């Protein structure tokens, strides 16, 4: 097991599965298939063995389609608003850009503006700033980094409100 | 003398009445062997027949013996077919059975089949040949399409149960649901969760509307929340529900409707499905959790972390829980603290290749065993396990009847001590006197088999993979496990010595499976020669061209010229897959090219 310098077929890092004997007569679907993986920066997945782990093929097939859906299923992050009694959650994957996210947040939290109604027409508005907590736990202002980078680093959203008062606001975005 | 005449004085009707209290089929098998009179009475009055291996007896013979048959259960392919170890077209055909029953058993009402190949034509025959047909249960079957389902729906006058579990069904469109006639109101149980395609939602709603007796309904992923809500409003007496897709927009009408509908279902005890479950939809389920006895989240990777914890902590009466390992040790700890009545737990792997970080470990299992002492059935996939954890688990839960542990990496030792897991699994068999089913994994030597042979006296089914050192391992099991019925082995160094150690043992068992072990053709031939009551089948793809397989049974092995592959002199070739089973039906007549009966 520690013969790392031993010459053998297979990718570095792949587990060599010991079989009781060689099978020269085997032709179709070998028992042990090396997983193709040319990204040597991360450890390659272990070699696949036919029928292992013992999970029903029905479930395996479902699992693959589920996993793909899960990858697409979205990135839900908590959204808190200062003064609101409870938090909400949004799926960041529903939005392609910051503008869409801001609009969605306005819709979500429109009812919480301390008696004032937050409208898109700019009539009664609150000053608010949207910030987010990143992977390092730091509170960052929304909008500085490209959307994709924001997507991968955002852990939580926070809507911070300023003092009360009606202010006309340009629809600047 | 006096006793004997007294026995014969018993009218047949009385004996038959006494037999009617024997429902356990092994008991009925036993009484039928007492004398000819009892054999006759028993067979004519038998209503339920269980055939654990469809090749153990010819269909005609079974049908002729039990003409009054009402319920038939059949199992086909070997268990390892579930994991793609059996090539397609291996067999397990339902057709001959349905045809035989059609000829001899007109009273058939229920058919349950597992791992069999069923064609649409067979389904057509089924519903036309049996006027009283009421219940069809298909588990892990294949070979049919939604057209076959349409035939069943269309023609069964009083269909009570259509239960499709994890089958491969060819989707030919959603029209099959329309085929239930308007006057069909008898449905009690409908499960089409395994169907991949769309269903006609309006037909589904109408069907549910006119089925007042519906107790169990399991939908497939194509059924949206809107339809689920409508359906739930129609059947407040539902006891078992498999949801469709639980993706819902926040505060949509459908979601609100679902909440109120669920709250009305006071009898709901079992939940499954949960596809694409959004956390919001889980909220809707909380009010009914307190009464749940069964919960299956194994198709819901979205239910994890805090969402899972929030859900499970309400399920205080839970008896059966199936989850993915993405719930983590943390989730299992909550299960342990909330579900004190838990009897069965299954934890499935969400990452099949163990490439990511460990999700559940021995800690989760120990927590469960500590919190749920009534646990008697376990299936647990994990990245690693320790001996001390297994010892603790068996101390906490001595009532295991089914214990299956799968460590994802083959031959992995105890990470704490780097030792094999012999002692851990040994502790399980020592403590759990009622253990009937056992699957082991990780690094294991012959020692674990010594323990199994010595202590697992109630064991009926044993599954082994990548374990053992020598033939002695397998021999311990064959010699010691008196009640062994099914033994399945893959990738273990057991050879001809082990195979032939106790050949008469196989007559007391249903079947033996060995693949990627160390057995040779010579050993298999020897077994076949010594035990004519067994079918010794090998699955091989040695040559590109296959001759027609042998149909003539054991005696022809040496002299049959057709069989150049078996008899080309090289008996030392290793046999890739061996399947041995007792039978009174002789060699299979439907074996494909790659299956050779020795």
């Amino acid at each position: 097991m520690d013969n790392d310098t031993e010459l053998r077929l297979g990718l570095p890092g792949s587990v060599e599965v010991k079989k009781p004997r060689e099978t020269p007569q085997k032709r179709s679907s070998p028992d042990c298939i090396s997983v193709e993986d040319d990204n040597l920066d991360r450890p390659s997945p272990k070699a696949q063995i036919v029928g292992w782990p013992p999970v029903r093929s029905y479930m395996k097939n479902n699992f693959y389609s589920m996993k793909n859906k899960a990858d697409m299923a979205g990135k839900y992050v908590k959204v808190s608003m200062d003064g609101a009694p409870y938090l909400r959650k949004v799926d960041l994957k529903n939005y392609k850009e910051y503008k869409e996210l801001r609009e969605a947040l306005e819709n979500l939290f429109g009812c919480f503006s301390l008696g004032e109604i937050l409208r898109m027409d700019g009539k009664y508005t609150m000053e608010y700033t949207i910030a987010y907590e990143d992977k390092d736990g730091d509170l960052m202002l929304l909008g500085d980094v490209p959307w994709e980078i924001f997507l991968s680093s955002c852990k939580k959203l926070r809507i911070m409100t300023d003092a009360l008062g009606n202010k006309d606001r340009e629809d600047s975005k | 003398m006096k006793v004997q005449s007294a026995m014969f004085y018993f009218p047949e009707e009385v004996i038959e009445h006494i037999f009617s209290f024997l429902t356990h089929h092994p008991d009925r098998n036993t009484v039928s062997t007492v004398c000819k009179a009892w054999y006759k009475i028993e067979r004519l009055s038998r209503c339920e027949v269980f055939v654990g291996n469809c090749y153990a007896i010819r269909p005609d013979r079974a049908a002729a013996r039990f003409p009054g048959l009402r319920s038939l259960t059949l199992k086909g392919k070997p268990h390892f077919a579930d994991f793609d170890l059996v090539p397609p077209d291996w067999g397990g055909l339902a057709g001959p059975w349905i045809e035989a029953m059609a000829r001899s058993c007109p009273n058939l009402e229920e058919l349950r089949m597992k791992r069999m190949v069923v064609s649409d034509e067979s389904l057509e025959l089924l519903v036309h040949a049996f006027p009283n047909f009421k219940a069809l249960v298909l588990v892990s079957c294949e070979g049919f399409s939604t057209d076959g389902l349409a035939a069943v729906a269309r023609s069964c006058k009083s269909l009570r149960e259509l239960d499709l579990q994890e089958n491969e069904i060819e989707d030919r469109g959603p029209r099959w649901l329309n085929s239930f006639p308007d006057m069909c109101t008898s449905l009690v149980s409908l499960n089409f969760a395994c169907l991949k395609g769309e269903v006609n939602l309006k037909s589904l709603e109408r069907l549910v509307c006119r089925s007042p007796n519906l107790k169990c309904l399991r939908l497939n992923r194509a059924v949206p929340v809107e339809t689920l809500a409508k359906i739930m409003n129609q059947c407040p007496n539902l006891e078992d529900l498999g949801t469709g897709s639980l993706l819902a927009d926040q505060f949509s009408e459908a979601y609100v409707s679902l909440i109120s509908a669920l709250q009305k279902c006071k009898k709901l005890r079992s939940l499954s499905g949960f596809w694409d479950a959004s956390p919001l939809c889980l909220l809707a389920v909380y009010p009914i959790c307190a009464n749940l006895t069964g919960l299956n989240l194994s198709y819901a990777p979205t239910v994890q972390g805090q969402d899972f914890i929030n859900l499970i902590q309400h399920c205080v009466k839970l008896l059966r829980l199936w989850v993915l390992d993405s719930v983590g040790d943390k989730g299992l700890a909550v299960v342990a603290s909330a579900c004190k009545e838990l009897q069965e737990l299954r934890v499935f792997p969400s990452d099949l290749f163990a490439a990511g970080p460990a999700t559940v470990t021995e800690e989760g299992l120990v927590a469960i065993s500590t919190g749920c002492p009534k646990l008697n059935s376990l299936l647990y996939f994990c990245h690693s396990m320790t001996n001390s954890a297994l010892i603790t688990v068996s101390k906490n839960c001595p009532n295991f009847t089914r214990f299956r542990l799968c460590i994802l990496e083959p031959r992995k030792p105890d990470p704490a001590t780097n030792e094999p897991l012999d002692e851990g699994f040994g502790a399980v068999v020592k403590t759990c006197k009622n253990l009937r089913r056992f699957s082991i994994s990780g690094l294991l030597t012959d020692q674990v088999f010594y323990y199994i042979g010595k202590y697992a006296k109630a064991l009926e089914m044993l599954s082994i993979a990548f374990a053992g050192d020598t033939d002695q391992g397998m021999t311990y099991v064959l010699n010691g496990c008196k009640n062994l019925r099914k033994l399945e082995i893959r990738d273990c160094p057991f050879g001809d010595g082990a195979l032939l150690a106790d050949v008469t043992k196989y007559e007391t068992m249903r079947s033996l499976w060995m693949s990627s072990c160390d057995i040779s053709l010579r050993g298999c031939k020897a077994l076949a020669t010594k035990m004519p009551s067994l079918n010794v089948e090998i699955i091989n793809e040695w040559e590109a061209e296959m001759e027609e397989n042998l149909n003539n049974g054991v005696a022809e092995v040496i002299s049959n010229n057709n069989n150049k592959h078996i008899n080309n002199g090289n008996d030392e070739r290793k046999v890739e897959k061996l399947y041995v089973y007792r039978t009174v039906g002789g060699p299979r007549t439907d074996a494909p090219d790659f299956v050779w009966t020795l």
Side-chain angles (χ1 to χ4, degrees):
Chain A
M1 279 297 179
D2 52 6
N3 287 346
D4 283 327
T5 53
E6 185 188 285
L7 283 176
R8 57 186 167 97
L9 291 175
L11 295 164
S14 64
V15 168
E16 185 182 292
V17 175
K18 274 221 165 58
K19 290 164 59 160
R21 48 166 178 91
E22 278 306 320
T23 51
Q25 61 265 36
K26 208 181 293 298
R27 297 164 44 256
S28 45
S29 50
D31 269 0
C32 182
I33 317 162
S34 278
V35 177
E36 56 286 344
D37 177 18
D38 11 81
N39 183 356
L40 296 176
D41 288 335
R42 53 185 167 89
S44 42
K46 302 204 157 80
Q48 299 176 46
I49 310 167
V50 168
W52 193 264
V55 172
R56 277 191 182 172
S57 25
Y58 171 81
M59 194 176 193
K60 266 187 197 168
N61 295 338
N62 263 285
F63 170 75
Y64 282 126
S65 72
M66 275 193 305
K67 199 157 197 276
N68 289 336
K69 287 225 171 186
D71 283 340
M72 304 187 308
K75 188 183 165 147
Y76 280 97
V77 296
K78 288 187 194 171
V79 189
S80 64
M81 177 160 172
D82 293 348
Y86 50 83
L87 282 64
R88 302 297 300 272
K89 261 200 170 159
V90 288
D91 179 1
L92 291 180
K93 290 207 177 160
N94 280 341
Y95 316 107
K96 294 196 302 295
E97 48 171 354
Y98 286 116
K99 177 176 174 186
E100 287 182 21
L101 175 60
R102 286 183 198 278
E103 283 170 9
L105 290 177
E106 281 177 5
N107 286 335
L108 267 188
F109 281 90
C111 50
F112 290 140
S113 304
L114 302 163
E116 302 287 349
I117 297 170
L118 201 72
R119 285 221 189 280
M120 278 306 296
D121 59 18
K123 273 276 171 78
Y124 300 99
T125 62
M126 296 287 294
E127 274 288 332
Y128 59 89
T129 316
I130 306 180
Y132 67 96
E133 202 176 289
D134 71 357
K135 278 193 274 216
D136 301 324
D138 297 320
L139 199 60
M140 315 286 296
L141 185 68
L142 191 79
D144 283 338
V145 299
W147 176 254
E148 287 71 25
I149 297 183
F150 161 72
L151 263 191
S152 62
S153 57
C154 172
K155 292 287 162 227
K156 263 190 199 176
L157 282 167
R158 200 174 134 193
I159 304 179
M160 303 162 70
T161 52
D162 293 348
L164 288 172
N166 295 342
K167 274 189 193 169
D168 279 344
R169 215 160 60 94
E170 296 294 325
D171 236 2
S172 52
K173 300 285 184 313
Chain B
M1 268 313 213
K2 278 196 183 152
V3 171
Q4 195 180 35
S5 61
M7 253 225 348
F8 284 123
Y9 204 63
F10 251 177
E12 274 187 22
E13 294 81 13
V14 176
I15 300 182
E16 190 180 314
H17 181 69
I18 296 172
F19 286 177
S20 71
F21 292 98
L22 295 174
T23 47
H24 198 37
H25 66 87
D27 292 338
R28 295 208 62 130
N29 293 343
T30 309
V31 300
S32 69
T33 60
V34 166
C35 63
K36 277 201 178 131
W38 281 28
Y39 177 87
K40 180 176 161 222
I41 297 170
E42 196 283 318
R43 79 174 187 91
L44 292 175
S45 63
R46 176 93 76 124
C47 295
E48 290 175 20
V49 169
F50 171 83
V51 181
N53 175 4
C54 66
Y55 290 116
I57 182 171
R58 300 258 163 140
D60 277 337
R61 190 163 156 190
R65 180 173 166 186
F66 302 112
L69 195 49
R70 296 224 194 104
S71 166
L72 176 65
T73 305
L74 284 173
K75 291 189 179 182
K77 300 185 201 177
H79 174 230
F80 276 178
D82 282 352
F83 317 129
D84 300 327
L85 286 181
V86 174
D89 303 325
W90 174 87
L93 303 172
W97 281 92
I98 296 177
E99 287 156 27
M101 294 294 140
R103 282 189 289 270
S104 313
C105 309
N107 295 331
L108 191 69
E109 293 178 5
E110 295 180 359
L111 182 59
R112 285 163 222 281
M113 298 198 284
K114 187 168 185 178
R115 278 185 222 107
M116 296 201 61
V117 178
V118 194
S119 65
D120 286 343
E121 291 71 31
S122 295
L123 289 176
E124 284 266 7
L125 175 60
L126 183 65
V127 293
H128 287 112
F130 305 108
N132 292 333
F133 197 74
K134 291 195 173 63
L136 180 64
V137 179
L138 299 175
V139 181
S140 298
C141 295
E142 55 173 352
F144 60 105
S145 75
T146 46
D147 287 351
L149 295 181
V152 172
R154 190 169 40 239
S155 315
C156 277
K157 306 244 178 342
S158 49
L159 191 67
R160 248 188 1 224
E161 191 178 341
L162 180 60
D163 186 357
L164 308 167
Q165 298 176 31
E166 302 197 343
N167 303 290
E168 287 296 330
I169 306 177
E170 189 193 330
D171 185 12
R172 293 211 189 136
R175 291 180 316 276
W176 67 276
L177 255 185
N178 306 356
S179 303
F180 281 101
D182 289 337
M183 57 185 174
C184 171
T185 57
S186 48
L187 267 185
V188 173
S189 171
L190 176 64
N191 172 8
F192 59 91
C194 64
L195 271 185
K196 298 197 190 91
E198 301 295 318
V199 284
N200 188 317
L201 299 176
K202 283 269 170 277
S203 294
L204 176 61
E205 289 169 35
R206 282 199 302 270
L207 179 62
V208 169
C209 270
R210 61 177 190 275
S211 304
N213 300 318
L214 203 58
K215 289 212 178 83
C216 165
L217 180 63
R218 296 192 183 183
L219 311 171
N220 74 348
R221 198 174 182 182
V223 178
V225 172
E226 291 77 16
T227 308
L228 177 63
K230 285 187 200 158
I231 289 175
M232 298 305 295
N233 274 315
Q234 292 297 324
C235 22
N237 291 327
L238 213 58
E239 295 172 12
D240 182 328
L241 172 68
T243 73
S245 169
L246 276 190
L247 202 57
D249 280 330
Q250 19 222 9
F251 301 121
S252 64
E253 197 185 311
Y255 173 68
V256 172
S257 182
L258 179 65
I259 298 181
S260 70
L262 277 174
Q263 285 180 340
K264 283 192 234 149
C265 292
K266 303 283 183 213
K267 295 192 184 168
L268 205 50
R269 295 288 172 268
S270 179
L271 275 186
S272 57
F274 290 94
W275 282 294
D276 316 310
S278 62
L280 214 57
C281 277
L282 291 183
L283 289 180
V285 170
Y286 288 1
I288 48 164
C289 283
N291 285 324
L292 282 185
T293 55
L295 183 59
N296 182 353
L297 295 171
S298 57
Y299 289 98
T302 49
V303 181
Q304 52 176 291
Q306 195 59 38
D307 292 328
F308 172 72
I309 290 175
N310 291 342
L311 179 67
I312 204 70
Q313 65 189 8
H314 299 290
C315 303
V316 292
K317 289 196 191 151
L318 209 59
L319 301 177
R320 238 173 22 259
L321 177 63
W322 294 19
V323 287
L324 290 171
D325 64 1
S326 41
V327 304
D329 283 337
K330 210 163 156 216
L332 292 180
V334 179
V335 173
S337 69
C339 312
K340 293 302 185 191
E341 304 296 315
L342 198 67
Q343 292 179 10
E344 177 181 329
L345 175 67
R346 296 194 191 190
V347 179
F348 294 96
S350 54
D351 172 3
L352 296 174
F353 307 116
T359 39
V360 297
T361 68
E362 67 274 4
E363 278 181 33
L365 185 58
V366 169
I368 291 279
S369 72
T370 315
C372 312
K374 296 188 183 176
L375 198 65
N376 60 43
S377 175
L378 179 74
L379 172 61
Y380 199 78
F381 285 85
C382 56
H383 287 228
S384 64
M385 183 56 56
T386 63
N387 281 313
S388 74
L390 283 174
I391 292 169
T392 306
V393 167
S394 39
K395 272 203 203 108
N396 291 340
C397 299
N399 297 319
F400 277 117
T401 54
R402 289 185 282 280
F403 191 97
R404 294 189 279 167
L405 187 80
C406 178
I407 300 166
L408 290 168
E409 187 185 324
R411 298 196 189 88
K412 188 162 182 186
D414 178 337
T417 61
N418 230 27
E419 284 178 0
L421 290 170
D422 302 332
E423 296 308 310
F425 284 108
V428 176
V429 288
K430 276 181 216 165
T431 329
C432 304
K433 306 269 184 264
N434 295 324
L435 195 66
R436 290 198 316 263
R437 184 166 181 186
F438 203 31
S439 291
I440 56 182
S441 57
L443 184 63
L444 295 163
T445 71
D446 286 348
Q447 184 64 20
V448 72
F449 299 113
Y450 168 76
Y451 289 138
I452 293 175
K454 184 164 180 194
Y455 295 109
K457 292 308 178 189
L459 194 63
E460 295 177 4
M461 181 170 177
L462 179 63
S463 310
I464 311 169
F466 304 102
D469 303 317
T470 71
D471 286 350
Q472 187 58 55
M474 183 170 160
T475 310
Y476 282 141
V477 172
L478 291 174
N479 289 343
C481 297
K482 296 297 171 213
N483 285 306
L484 196 63
R485 289 190 299 121
K486 286 182 280 187
L487 179 59
E488 45 186 27
I489 304 171
R490 63 163 293 176
D491 292 278
C492 296
F494 303 140
D496 295 341
L499 181 66
L500 301 171
D502 181 3
V503 294
T504 55
K505 173 75 177 169
Y506 305 124
E507 248 175 359
T508 68
M509 291 166 53
R510 183 187 298 174
S511 65
L512 165 73
W513 169 280
M514 290 179 77
S515 60
S516 302
C517 295
D518 217 15
I519 48 181
S520 73
L521 185 53
R522 184 175 48 78
C524 296
K525 280 186 182 178
L527 176 60
T529 314
K530 287 185 197 178
M531 301 295 298
S533 60
L534 304 175
N535 275 358
V536 178
E537 295 180 4
I538 56 180
I539 297 174
N540 268 302
E541 286 155 310
W542 282 335
E543 309 287 342
E545 306 248 76
M546 291 304 199
E547 303 261 273
E548 191 138 353
N549 62 304
L550 254 191
N551 291 336
N552 302 319
V554 168
E556 327 291 321
V557 161
I558 308 299
S559 59
N560 194 315
N561 287 330
N562 285 338
N563 204 3
K564 77 171 202 271
H565 299 293
I566 291 188
N567 286 329
N568 69 0
N570 186 2
D571 280 1
E572 294 318 308
R573 273 176 298 177
K574 297 301 179 187
V575 164
E576 184 53 36
K577 292 171 185 169
L578 170 73
Y579 185 49
V580 178
Y581 54 91
R582 69 179 173 196
T583 179
V584 294
R588 290 170 56 183
T589 52
D590 62 358
D593 282 347
F594 52 82
V595 173
W596 297 339
T597 308
L598 299 179

